[in-house]
Amino acid sequence: MFLPFRRIRHALLEENKLRRYLTYALGEVLLIVFGILIALQLESWRQQEADASLERLYLRELLDDLEADIQRAGGWLDRYDGKVAGLETAKQLYYGKIEDAQDAGMLRLISYGAVGSRGQLLGDSPTFEDLVSTGNLSLLGSSEIKKETVRYYVNRQFLQKYSESLRSDYASYVNATYPFDPQNPEAVDPRDLARVLARFRHAEFIDLVNQELTYAHTLRGAVENQIADAETLSDLLNTHLGDK
């Protein structure tokens, strides 16, 4: 490739034309520098395109995770009224306001008071964890997107820990009193019925009922806020994707 340049250089030196040689040498250097700059620019463009592609992938995966959060938290809210109704029924039984303590419908309501009291309120957050562990959080578009994404997941983690701190042993107590089959909620073993009234009139039971009611009432507002935050962040990510 450089053979023609060498020949020209040798020819100029042999003719003792130093000025022309220096001019030619300078042009050769500039040509090499220009080629290097073009190569660096092309590499920079390729890296920018790769980063933009990876950013779009992360944004779409974040949107999927946010939708899962909205669905899961929304499912908890959908069961809130039934949960509270079951717990209020348990209180009525404890205070002697319900005469037939062996009614299957009443027992089913009391069991429903335990719904949503175990397990994670929200699912995992694999995309955000990957962004943090790989250092790719910097790829996310604007500073606003980075700030709002971090804020959402910090609040999300707080909600998860907070819900765990409020959770009671109500579900364990009820399940230990008699087994509940979601596929056959009317089924009650007659041998367990004799224990129901005594267990559900015990002081420990009303303590658990009140603790579980506190859990339900306190989390309701926090869950509604979490859903609103997830929807706001989703709108921001969708807008950013639409601008690309």
Side-chain angles (χ1 to χ4, degrees), residues 55-67 70 140-142 144-145 148-149 229-244:
E55 180 203 14
R56 289 192 294 270
L57 177 62
Y58 273 125
L59 291 176
R60 293 189 181 100
E61 290 181 346
L62 279 173
L63 285 168
D64 289 342
D65 290 352
L66 290 169
E67 181 59 29
I70 292 169
L140 297 188
S142 65
E144 181 185 14
I145 288 179
E148 291 303 317
T149 299
D229 287 347
E231 291 173 341
T232 298
L233 181 57
S234 293
D235 289 343
L236 183 62
L237 299 184
N238 275 315
T239 298
H240 186 69
L241 278 171
D243 290 342
K244 289 187 169 297

Side-chain angles (χ1 to χ4, degrees), residues 198-212:
R199 291 269 293 175
F200 287 174
R201 292 278 177 82
H202 196 280
E204 181 185 359
F205 180 62
I206 193 61
D207 289 345
L208 291 174
V209 170
N210 287 331
Q211 188 178 350
E212 192 69 17

Side-chain angles (χ1 to χ4, degrees), residues 11-174:
L12 291 173
L13 287 173
E14 289 173 359
E15 294 175 11
N16 199 24
K17 297 179 180 178
L18 182 59
R19 180 177 295 177
R20 290 180 61 188
Y21 170 74
L22 291 176
T23 302
Y24 172 80
L26 179 61
E28 187 175 338
V29 170
L30 291 176
L31 184 61
I32 293 172
V33 170
F34 185 65
I36 292 173
L37 291 176
I38 290 177
L40 290 174
Q41 185 61 51
L42 288 173
E43 179 60 28
S44 176
W45 286 338
R46 280 194 291 267
Q47 187 60 52
Q48 288 174 12
E49 183 58 34
D51 288 347
S53 179
L54 185 57
E55 180 203 14
R56 289 192 294 270
L57 177 62
Y58 273 125
L59 291 176
R60 293 189 181 100
E61 290 181 346
L62 279 173
L63 285 168
D64 289 342
D65 290 352
L66 290 169
E67 181 59 29
D69 282 356
I70 292 169
Q71 293 296 325
R72 192 159 185 168
W76 189 93
L77 278 183
D78 290 342
R79 294 178 290 176
Y80 166 81
D81 288 339
K83 177 180 180 68
V84 170
L87 293 168
E88 292 293 346
T89 300
K91 291 192 73 166
Q92 292 289 90
L93 176 62
Y94 175 82
Y95 288 116
K97 302 299 182 180
I98 296 176
E99 294 183 1
D100 187 2
Q102 299 181 354
D103 176 69
M106 183 272 300
L107 293 178
R108 186 171 65 253
L109 268 176
I110 290 176
S111 294
Y112 200 82
V115 72
S117 66
R118 287 182 171 177
Q120 285 191 321
L121 180 62
L122 301 168
D124 297 326
S125 50
T127 306
F128 181 72
E129 291 170 3
D130 180 73
L131 282 167
V132 173
S133 64
T134 60
N136 285 334
L137 189 62
S138 60
L139 292 176
L140 297 188
S142 65
S143 59
E144 181 185 14
I145 288 179
K146 286 192 278 286
K147 180 184 72 175
E148 291 303 317
T149 299
V150 171
R151 186 182 71 83
Y152 172 80
Y153 280 99
V154 168
N155 290 342
R156 182 185 189 279
Q157 185 177 38
F158 171 78
L159 176 60
Q160 201 66 65
K161 296 294 185 183
Y162 186 51
S163 68
E164 292 169 4
S165 71
L166 291 175
R167 191 171 294 124
S168 76
D169 290 327
Y170 178 84
S172 297
Y173 191 94
V174 171

